[in-house]
Amino acid sequence: MVYAVVVAWLVLAAIVVLTWGRLGTDRGWRGFVLALTLGLSLLHQLLFATVTEDALVSFRYAQNIADGNGPVFNPGERVEGYTNFLWLVLIALPRAAFGADVQATAVVFGVLAALGCVLVAYLLVNRIVAGADTEPRPAIGVAAAVLTAAAGGLAVYGPSGSEVPLFVLLTLAVGYSLAARRPVVAGVLVAFAVMTSPEGLVVAVLGGLWLVGAALKRKHSWWAPVGYVLGALVFLIPRLAWRATFYQHFVPAPLAAKLGGPFGSQVANGWPYLSGFALAHQGFLLLGLVAAVALLLRRTDAVEARALIWLLFANVVGLAAAAVLIGGDPGPSWRLLAPVPPLIAVASVAAYGVLTVDVEAKPSPRPRAWPAATRLVPVTACGLAGIAVLVSVFSPDMLDRVRDWRAHGTELTEIGGWLGQYLPPGSVVSAATPGALAAHGGQLLIVDVLGRTDDYIAREGHHDGGVATDYDYVVNGRRPTVAVPADSGYADRQHCAIDPVYAGKYEVATFRRVGTPYWVSVYPRAEQAKSVVTNLDKGPDFRYVPCPS
């Protein structure tokens, strides 16, 4: 698959660079090149094709919604262990209506949303440039589409089953609505963005401030910001009212667990997160810096188009600041910053289009090529896209880490299926990876020891490093039948030492994965250890091996 992605990029780059002049005039050829760009995006996503732990948690919620249990992780426990309400509803609907598989639905929707980002990037650039130029230059948007297709974060999370590609799509769509002077539509879309990810608040606030500034400068009437706010509140107020009624909280458990610690420690974790992203995305950041400086130094009459570009850059800064303030994210490929490269691509390409509007009008002693027909834009866009593809392949935080993530997730899912099949229905299991264990865990009740799906731990536990814990509550309050200490799948050797937080109330039971050199340790509660081990040893894929005395 690596070779397929690289070859797809080479073919696309060659076609775009060699036929750039034709893209502005031949609609059919432009459509063909956009189709090739979508193909590159699809192959880039398939390179990773890994469902995430967070997505597996969402699948459990969506399945319970579709099956009539309500938006809960464990039936009967009203805990808001998600921050992506709109995504849950979208992936639950096909199961509720047609019995479709939730995971397959989420993966398909995610891939389609990522492909939609490529198209909206193309449309948004052309819309901004059209507002500054009387003559359309649609070829410029192709450059933004190519850069968006090559963005690694979007490719990683496209087929992940998570809400990330939908959030990126909504962020770009908000920009398009504002460029089209549709503030009410922008307000509705920004409400959807907030209901998809908490970072949508950044997009919402910046969009509202932009409209207020436009109204102050008399570029918009005051009805524009009013309509924007009303469009958002129509959806957000009922959502907040329902949340307060159903969950008795305004802050979801994952956010409460993450933000409950000292502010300084969160920022200390956030800076390395941002610096790692910056190191891997130097090409996009350099492109954005050049475009921003050019926008500052060169004046044009296209005031509104320039303001829209600055809004996109403000979203980049705002999302980066939010990622630092909440302490980053443990997943690979900088999930919180996935919208940043597409936003930079759109803003930078649009800046070029806006700043070169009047080049054709300047006197010249000889005929001069139209700016969009020069080779600067396609060469730069395709070159940076190639660098982004190479980063996807060779960065240790991209393909290699995603592959490890996939292997560990597969192993944990196997462990969850084994426990679900051989433990009595309704058995309580504690773990740090509730989504993976629940994927095939059947009727197991999963206690998340890090508090993301447990209100008490999230709000009352000990907060450190962006997670919340309270093992005394887990051991003596929830009293799980089995504790699963591993959060990364199988071990390569037998582990007979028990975690001190479970010592005394639990015992160690080690099992060999049949036909492999791998092991898994579980902690059955002491008074139930004999029956639990007997039941688990019935599984054909796991064999109980007592620890040496």
Side-chain angles (χ1 to χ4, degrees):
M1 187 57 72
V2 171
Y3 293 113
V5 174
V6 173
V7 169
W9 165 73
L10 288 172
V11 171
L12 178 63
I15 292 175
V16 170
V17 172
L18 294 176
T19 65
W20 183 251
R22 184 178 173 185
L23 290 176
T25 57
D26 190 331
R27 178 181 297 180
W29 185 256
R30 189 165 61 251
F32 171 70
V33 172
L34 282 173
L36 290 180
T37 306
L38 292 174
L40 172 63
S41 175
L42 181 60
L43 288 174
H44 200 184
Q45 294 178 66
L46 294 178
L47 175 66
F48 299 99
T50 299
V51 173
T52 68
E53 164 64 21
D54 288 344
L56 292 171
V57 171
S58 297
F59 298 165
R60 172 95 160 194
Y61 274 96
Q63 185 165 328
N64 279 326
I65 291 173
D67 293 347
N69 297 318
V72 296
F73 189 76
N74 294 319
E77 299 179 13
R78 293 191 176 189
V79 181
E80 190 179 6
Y82 59 87
T83 57
N84 53 356
F85 175 75
L86 180 63
W87 182 247
L88 289 186
V89 173
L90 288 177
I91 63 177
L93 284 176
R95 178 178 177 85
F98 313 111
D101 180 70
V102 170
Q103 179 170 327
T105 299
V107 170
V108 171
F109 282 4
V111 170
L112 292 177
L115 295 176
C117 291
V118 175
L119 292 177
V120 175
Y122 163 80
L123 295 172
L124 178 52
V125 166
N126 287 339
R127 186 80 194 198
I128 293 174
V129 174
D133 194 357
T134 57
E135 183 180 357
R137 295 188 287 167
I140 294 179
V142 175
V146 171
L147 286 167
T148 302
L154 184 61
V156 168
Y157 287 97
S160 70
S162 74
E163 74 285 354
V164 172
L166 176 62
F167 177 66
V168 179
L169 178 62
L170 289 170
T171 301
L172 294 173
V174 169
Y176 186 87
S177 299
L178 292 175
R181 303 179 72 87
R182 296 290 185 270
V184 176
V185 175
V188 171
L189 292 173
V190 88
F192 291 165
V194 172
M195 292 191 291
T196 301
S197 176
E199 291 78 23
L201 288 170
V202 174
V203 181
V205 170
L206 290 174
L209 291 176
W210 186 86
L211 282 172
V212 169
L216 288 172
K217 294 180 180 180
R218 298 186 178 180
K219 300 298 181 182
H220 278 276
S221 74
W222 281 101
W223 285 111
V226 171
Y228 176 84
V229 172
L230 291 177
L233 292 182
V234 162
F235 291 91
L236 292 180
I237 288 179
R239 161 69 177 136
L240 289 173
W242 174 81
R243 169 187 275 167
T245 302
F246 190 83
Y247 293 115
Q248 306 296 316
H249 289 291
F250 284 108
V251 179
L255 278 183
K258 193 169 187 63
L259 301 179
F263 178 74
S265 67
Q266 291 170 201
V267 174
N269 291 329
W271 279 118
Y273 184 81
L274 181 61
S275 62
F277 170 84
L279 186 63
H281 294 81
Q282 295 178 60
F284 279 98
L285 295 178
L286 180 61
L287 176 67
L289 179 61
V290 171
V293 171
L295 208 59
L296 283 172
L297 297 179
R298 184 177 173 84
R299 298 295 179 183
T300 66
D301 295 331
V303 177
E304 186 169 347
R306 292 170 61 95
L308 282 165
I309 296 170
W310 282 121
L311 173 62
L312 296 175
F313 280 129
N315 275 300
V316 169
V317 174
L319 291 171
V324 172
L325 293 177
I326 66 176
D329 180 77
S333 308
W334 305 281
R335 177 180 67 89
L336 298 178
L337 298 171
V340 168
L343 285 170
I344 291 177
V346 170
S348 301
V349 176
Y352 171 85
V354 170
L355 295 178
T356 57
V357 164
D358 58 349
V359 172
E360 182 72 9
K362 290 185 177 181
S364 176
R366 57 184 179 181
R368 179 167 47 193
W370 182 40
T374 66
R375 294 288 184 264
L376 173 64
V377 174
V379 169
T380 302
C382 293
L384 289 177
I387 293 173
V389 168
L390 293 177
V391 168
S392 292
V393 173
F394 294 109
S395 171
D397 285 305
M398 299 289 284
L399 184 57
D400 286 345
R401 192 171 173 199
V402 169
R403 284 174 171 171
D404 290 340
W405 203 20
R406 180 191 307 158
H408 295 158
T410 301
E411 293 168 2
L412 288 165
T413 300
E414 289 180 358
I415 293 170
W418 168 53
L419 296 175
Q421 186 172 358
Y422 293 100
L423 289 177
S427 294
V428 179
V429 176
S430 66
T433 53
L437 292 184
H440 297 296
Q443 300 182 45
L444 294 179
L445 302 179
I446 311 294
V447 178
D448 182 2
V449 297
L450 301 182
R452 292 159 299 188
T453 60
D454 188 286
D455 259 339
Y456 183 87
I457 298 175
R459 304 178 198 282
E460 305 296 335
H462 172 68
H463 295 83
D464 183 35
V467 298
T469 56
D470 189 336
Y471 285 101
D472 180 67
Y473 161 79
V474 172
V475 171
N476 298 307
R478 298 304 301 266
R479 299 173 59 86
T481 303
V482 173
V484 180
D487 60 1
S488 58
Y490 300 131
D492 56 3
R493 59 187 179 87
Q494 187 179 29
H495 289 278
C496 291
I498 191 169
D499 189 319
V501 298
Y502 291 101
K505 299 291 181 69
Y506 288 81
E507 299 178 1
V508 179
T510 57
F511 292 81
R512 182 78 173 265
R513 180 70 166 86
V514 174
T516 74
Y518 301 124
W519 295 79
V520 59
S521 297
V522 296
Y523 302 160
R525 198 162 183 92
E527 60 268 25
Q528 301 171 273
K530 185 175 181 180
S531 62
V532 167
V533 170
T534 300
N535 287 334
L536 294 180
D537 199 34
K538 294 176 182 177
D541 297 325
F542 295 88
R543 186 61 55 230
Y544 174 61
V545 180
C547 288
S549 57

